[in-house]
């Protein structure tokens, strides 16, 4: 295919403008089918570069981050063929340019995964500056620690990162912090390295395991031998395969929280309930009724919702990517809530917007204290992806009309967010 956008804008974006008007919707009620996981799709698409033959990746969410990743792959010579709206064939055989410019990497956090993939495929490469949501600093020292242990040199220059390795050797790496990105990068570099790599204190998110499933289907030898230990035995070659991306637990959790915040009844389908346990337990603790079936979860608020204590943590702890949505919910619950953010210390900036809606929140360092109240509509600016989802939830639950600016952040990570919320009764229109 040519170098036109891989997905057309109309398929991706529901609003021609970047502003939305949200009116009080009352209780949101209905059922939503969950799309593929953003944070699984991105590393898997980049991992397809490591195979010698094409892969077919299904259940890809139609979101901007996926489009950008496909564009990066196409830019380096991969042939990308859409088979249907959610399925792409990635042919990496002609990839020959291990280079990704700022223009692309600057919009996407997952572009860090190119470091490991370039090393695994080409033994060298260069990527521009890394983008993604701004939580006040997103270091990559743990990525560099793992890649360096395998024999790579990583140099940061004005135009981005330059990496090279004459040969990659398996190594033992103990991460100082649990990092999704560093774990992905280490796996991508180790999969075709010589010998065995042992990653301790590795991330255990379901999307890491989905990447491992994909790579093993391609012929890799990767095992999780303990909850936070991954062993990778390097193999000579990988052959592409067919893979279906797991459902997005953060998307599912966001709709459940929207149901609870509007005191409605929402069911998410096509999801693994175990991935949502930290959330469903917290919602129950707050007074919601939760019903889990084999591949669906429902939430219903029978009477009142009460405040709770919450601390984010790497999987299987409470996901930081649902923290803003929970603070929006807690702003409407009875009594006192306390939220401790242990992953991204600066992930409370959006609370300033909730406070403009009348929320009673005080933030000190990485702790937010929330006292429940009635929210009122306001003009709000979306600062990042999950905060955008939280503000939309708050606007649905508030009294009076809200106007949201900066909707493009939400389009980075939620497929048809507005359409799905409308389907369960939200009153959201382009401003
Ligand atoms: N960290 C370091 N050094 C490193 C890497 C990370 O100190 O080299 C620290 C970070 O500062 C942070 C913690 O480790 O305090 C965890 O960071 P991690 O590397 O796990 O985050 P990430 O890989 O950059 C992914 C998701 C984020 C999600 C985090 C945590 C993707 C593309 N992004 O980011 O998702 O918040 O893991 O679960 O998978 C989102 O989807 O909205 C989003 C921000």
């Amino acid at each position: 295919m040519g170098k036109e956008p891989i997905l057309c804008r109309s398929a991706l974006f529901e609003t021609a403008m970047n502003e939305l008007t949200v009116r009080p919707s009352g209780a949101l009620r209905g059922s939503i089918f969950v799309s593929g996981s953003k944070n699984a799709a991105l590393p898997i698409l980049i991992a397809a570069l490591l195979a010698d033959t094409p892969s077919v990746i299904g259940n890809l969410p139609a979101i901007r981050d996926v489009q950008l990743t496909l564009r990066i792959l196409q830019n380096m010579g991969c042939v990308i063929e859409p088979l249907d709206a959610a399925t792409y064939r990635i042919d990496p055989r002609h990839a020959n340019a291990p280079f990704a410019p700022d223009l692309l990497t600057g919009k996407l956090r997952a572009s860090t995964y190119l470091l490991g993939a370039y090393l695994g495929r080409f033994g060298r490469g260069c990527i521009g500056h890394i983008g993604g949501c701004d939580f006040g600093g997103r270091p990559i020292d743990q990525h560099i620690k793992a890649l360096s242990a395998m024999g790579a040199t990583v140099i940061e220059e004005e135009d981005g990162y330059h990496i090279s390795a004459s040969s990659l050797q398996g190594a033992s790496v103990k991460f100082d912090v649990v990092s999704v990105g560093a774990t992905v990068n280490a796996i991508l570099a180790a999969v075709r390295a010589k010998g065995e790599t042992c990653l301790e204190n590795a991330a255990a998110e379901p999307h890491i395991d989905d990447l491992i499933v994909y790579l093993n289907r391609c012929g890799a030898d990767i095992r999780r031998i303990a909850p936070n230990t991954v062993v990778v035995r390097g193999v000579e070659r990988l052959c592409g395969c067919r893979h279906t991306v797991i459902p997005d637990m953060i998307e599912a959790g966001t709709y459940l929280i929207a149901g609870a915040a509007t005191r409605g009844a929402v069911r998410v389908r096509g999801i693994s309930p175990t991935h949502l346990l930290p959330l469903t337990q917290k919602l129950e603790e707050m007074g919601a009724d939760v019903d889990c079936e084999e591949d669906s979860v429902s939430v219903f608020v029978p009477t009142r919702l009460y405040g709770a204590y919450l601390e984010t943590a790497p999987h299987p702890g409470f996901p930081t990517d649902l923290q803003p949505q929970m603070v929006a919910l807690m702003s409407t619950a009875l009594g006192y809530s306390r939220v401790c953010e242990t992953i991204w210390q600066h992930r409370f900036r959006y609370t300033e917007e909730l406070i403009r809606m009348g929320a009673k929140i005080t933030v000190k360092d990485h702790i937010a204290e929330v006292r429940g109240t009635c929210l009122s509509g306001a003009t709000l600016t979306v600062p990042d992806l999950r905060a955008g989802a939280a503000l939309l939830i708050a606007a649905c639950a508030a009294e009076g009309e809200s106007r949201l600016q900066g909707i493009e952040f939400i389009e980075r990570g939620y497929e048809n967010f507005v359409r799905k919320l409308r389907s369960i009764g939200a009153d959201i229109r382009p401003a």
Side-chain angles (χ1 to χ4, degrees), residues 38-39 138-142 179-181 321 343-344 386:
K38 166 177 88 76
N39 291 345
R138 296 181 72 171
I140 64 161
D141 57 297
Q142 298 302 306
S179 161
V180 169
D321 293 342
I343 312 286
W344 304 115
R386 308 300 174 189

Side-chain angles (χ1 to χ4, degrees), residues 38-39 42 109-110 113 133 135 137-143 177-182 205 207 320-321 342-344 347 385-386:
K38 166 177 88 76
N39 291 345
L42 305 180
R109 184 68 197 169
Y113 304 154
C133 293
F135 305 134
R138 296 181 72 171
I140 64 161
D141 57 297
Q142 298 302 306
H143 305 232
V177 292
V178 179
S179 161
V180 169
E205 271 66 9
H207 34 277
T320 174
D321 293 342
T342 71
I343 312 286
W344 304 115
R347 204 174 199 173
L385 168 60
R386 308 300 174 189

Side-chain angles (χ1 to χ4, degrees), residues 359-417:
K360 294 184 180 152
I361 306 173
T362 47
V363 175
K364 192 156 181 261
D365 301 326
H366 57 289
I367 292 176
E369 294 188 301
V370 187
R371 286 179 176 78
T373 187
C374 275
L375 300 178
S376 320
T379 297
L380 306 165
T381 303
V382 171
D384 63 67
L385 168 60
R386 308 300 174 189
L391 295 179
L392 251 182
I393 290 172
C396 288
E399 284 173 8
E401 184 175 296
S402 296
R403 208 177 161 103
L404 264 82
Q405 297 164 339
I407 296 307
E408 64 276 9
F409 280 111
I410 304 180
E411 293 167 335
R412 276 194 38 218
Y414 288 95
E415 176 176 305
N416 292 333
F417 193 54

Side-chain angles (χ1 to χ4, degrees), residues 263 282 285-287 303-308 330 333-337:
R263 308 301 186 260
K282 198 51 70 179
E285 196 185 311
M286 293 176 74
T303 52
R304 291 179 165 171
L305 276 186
Y306 298 91
M330 287 166 165
L334 274 180
Y336 175 77
S337 297

Side-chain angles (χ1 to χ4, degrees), residues 172-214:
S172 283
V173 180
K174 184 165 186 180
F175 293 112
D176 303 311
V177 292
V178 179
S179 161
V180 169
T183 304
V184 168
N185 246 331
I187 290 173
L188 295 181
V191 81
R192 286 177 64 171
K194 293 199 175 79
E196 189 172 283
T197 296
C198 180
L199 304 172
E200 287 179 81
N201 206 22
E205 271 66 9
H207 34 277
I208 303 267
D209 284 342
D210 201 31
L211 170 69
I212 293 174
V213 167
Y214 164 72

